[in-house]
Amino acid sequence: MVARAARATDLVDLDGAVSDCFACPRLVAWREEVARTRRAAFRDQTYWGRPVPGFGVADARIGILGLAPAAHGGNRTGRIFTGDRSGDVLFAALHRAGLANQPTSVAADDGLALRDTRIFAAVRCAPPDNKPTPAERDTCAPWLRREVALIRPTLRVVVALGAFAWAAWWPALREVYGVRPPSPRPVFGHGAHWSGTAAPALLGCYHVSQQNTFTGRLTPGMLDDVFARAKQLAGVD
């Protein structure tokens, strides 16, 4: 898989290779089981049931790094954060920030387009209980590193959605930019900010999960503040 990721010459090539990955047996079994059994509300739909590639523009100045696709969201629709409650919150915020052309994301062919932004996940397959293991994160890391390398010329800031994504960024920083992660590592928190001299800035944001948004731990205003800061750091009007 490392070699396949490294051979990808552009994002289209990379996305195709990601979608054909079978490296993690537990994740493969789960994503395919979910696609076979399906949720009752989506019983008449054909699930994607494969790894989910990144989504957005090739000249992104802002990267959004998530945890993994949702079992009945990205694993169903084939597009990250599409067709689930987390995506409803995220894309509404991106639309308010002027980074998405519409506030909703229900299907891969719904016309959604991003501006100056690309979204990708630390783990590309839907995991059981939304909890990939550190080993699965490390196995999937070559896809993240190659994606970051391909958008490196324009990438100026990465928004890490949650502590898992925050932790996944540091190895990518070292491998893609040759920058040694700070020691001790900065602690994740909503609004946490790290900047280096030769790499994108990193912003922390609570994950847009239902657990966070339904309880008020993450509010629309808090998301708006993070994306306003990301735009400022990236030089996006």
Side-chain angles (χ1 to χ4, degrees):
M1 187 185 70
V2 175
R4 290 183 69 194
R7 286 197 301 268
T9 57
D10 56 27
L11 290 173
V12 173
D13 192 17
L14 179 70
D15 292 349
V18 166
S19 300
D20 194 38
C21 183
F22 293 84
C24 298
R26 187 181 81 110
L27 299 186
V28 171
W30 175 251
R31 79 192 193 205
E32 293 181 351
E33 174 65 17
V34 169
R36 280 194 301 270
T37 58
R38 290 168 288 181
R39 178 172 283 172
F42 309 122
R43 186 72 68 192
D44 61 341
Q45 297 186 18
T46 299
Y47 275 51
W48 172 254
R50 298 162 64 184
V52 180
F55 170 65
V57 297
D59 58 350
R61 299 177 69 85
I62 299 170
I64 300 175
L65 177 57
L67 169 65
H72 302 282
N75 189 59
R76 173 173 60 90
T77 64
R79 191 171 68 193
I80 191 71
F81 281 114
T82 295
D84 61 32
R85 295 288 181 86
S86 296
D88 292 344
V89 173
L90 176 62
F91 289 113
L94 291 176
H95 183 255
R96 292 194 301 271
L99 298 173
N101 69 327
Q102 61 190 45
T104 58
S105 176
V106 297
D109 60 355
D110 63 5
L112 177 69
L114 301 183
R115 169 178 170 257
D116 293 309
T117 304
R118 187 162 178 90
I119 305 174
F120 35 80
V123 174
R124 305 302 170 102
C125 291
D129 299 319
N130 292 319
K131 294 180 180 179
T133 67
E136 288 162 348
R137 177 197 64 203
D138 294 345
T139 299
C140 211
W143 300 125
L144 173 61
R145 294 199 298 263
R146 187 58 182 155
E147 190 152 8
V148 172
L150 288 169
I151 62 175
R152 176 178 176 173
T154 57
L155 188 62
R156 297 293 177 265
V157 59
V158 172
V159 178
L161 298 178
F164 191 96
W166 180 269
W169 173 250
W170 304 113
L173 175 71
R174 181 179 61 247
E175 295 296 329
V176 176
Y177 293 90
V179 174
R180 180 176 295 179
S183 181
R185 303 282 172 87
V187 176
F188 170 76
H190 186 82
H193 176 204
W194 174 86
S195 287
T197 57
L202 179 66
L203 289 178
C205 178
Y206 289 148
H207 196 279
V208 287
S209 65
Q210 291 185 60
Q211 181 179 359
N212 286 337
T213 57
F214 282 10
T215 61
R217 186 173 190 236
L218 179 64
T219 66
M222 292 166 68
L223 270 174
D224 292 347
D225 289 345
V226 166
F227 288 125
R229 180 65 172 148
K231 289 176 64 177
Q232 180 186 44
L233 290 168
V236 174
D237 295 331

